[in-house]
Amino acid sequence: MERVAERENRDPDSVREQVADGQAVIPANRHHESLDPMIIGREFATKVNANIGNSETTSDLETELEKLHTAVHYGADTVMDLGTGSDLDEIREAHIAHSPVPIGTVPLYEAVKQAGSPEAITKDLLLEIIEKQAEQGVDYMTIHAGILAEHLPLTDGRKTGIVSRGGSIMASWMEAHGEQNPLYQDFPEICEIFAEHDVTFSLGDSLRPGCLADACDEAQYAELDTLGELTRVGWDHGVQVMVEGPGHVPMHKVAENVERQQEVCDGAPFYVLGPLVTDIAPGYDHITSAIGAAMAAQAGAAMLCYVTPKEHLGLPEEEDVRDGLAAYRIAAHAADVGTERPGARDWDDALSEARYAFDWREQFALALDPDRARSFHDQTLPGDNYKEARFCSMCGAEFCSMRIDQDARETGDMDSLEGEGEGTDLEASPAAEVNRPPVGTHAAGDLPPMADHEGVDALEEAGDD
Ligand code: SF4
């Protein structure tokens, strides 16, 4: 709690109170020794999760460690290992051993892998896998306990049915067995495992809408009521709980979703996937969803699960992870500025001052993605002499409005802005760590030792530069 308070620039007592009241969670499995603790709650800076993990087609330890490194390097506050390929235990253990950020998983995926099909999963297998992952040090797990047999008919009129992987697996199991969801029935036993190892619940929204037409329907809100009930069961067992949310939601219904979750789940942190605010842009869903994510965070969502440009189309690669995280760090920061968190705008002010002063090097250094800012600038004006130039290639020397403004101030009656005040001191900013540069909670150099190979080395060099 003291470390979290330091990172948030807050008083440790307020951290403790928020956690004790269930309004915030610190996902921190007692076996995760490399963890640098962080907090998720609407009273704290907005956080961003990145999903990584292998699939049937791509799978090796080195690649998976590189993905973790990439995600943390570009600013993921937590990482979910959603692997469904081979060597799941080995990869999960390596992720936990190396990760300074909390690691989340969906145990149901491993259950399907082991059982061979959703229908072949047994209750014992589910508990066994959850316990094993808790012992391995997983900090939070998505548990699809909120989807009940009586909810399934409510999805019949939908355009895209059940789009959550875990939700479709549990629905298939319930249909095949004619029984209630075992994760719901065995929820108290899961709570006991979580309490023993200090695992945090991320209650899965199995019935989240997969398109705008299905948003806020009866199925989604029926499950939300069950998630509220389970939140209280988790709290009764002394377990931390956050709740997952949609999905695909039109802009005019985003705030309604957040407010309803906060009411139904008594303020438990809301962890939202996007939401995408339009369905028309495959290939650009990091943008369609970052719009919804910013709105959700502004309305009180505590953590945003990133979406990459590959959403709906394929497994993301490194550049997609970079683009997705940039979009989501922007959404999170914009909401932190929009909700007037102390000091959140200082970063914006410092960058704007460097911009107006034509201090290009400082502008790059303060940028969310310094490498991208520098490379875009240098595409047209690469020379060192242009690093102090009073223009860039966008408007050109003659039409640079900031240069014209400054010249006019020198020759006319307007006051000169240059040199006024002390400038923004980011070192003294009361902002939370995630709202100060460099982006991300850990510079590449602070990461624990990684597998030695070209990809990671190249990434570190780029980061150091
Ligand atoms: S040329 Fe245009 S874009 Fe470039 S610094 Fe001047 S005002 Fe800004």
Side-chain angles (χ1 to χ4, degrees), residues 358 360 391-392 394-396 400-402:
F358 294 107
W360 292 99
F391 65 96
C392 73
M394 183 171 169
C395 320
C400 176
S401 57
M402 291 201 302

Side-chain angles (χ1 to χ4, degrees), residues 61-63 65-66 69 98 448-457:
L61 181 59
E62 201 169 280
T63 307
L65 280 173
E66 189 171 352
H69 195 113
H98 290 292
M450 303 286 298
D452 212 14
H453 62 99
E454 223 174 79
V456 168
D457 290 347

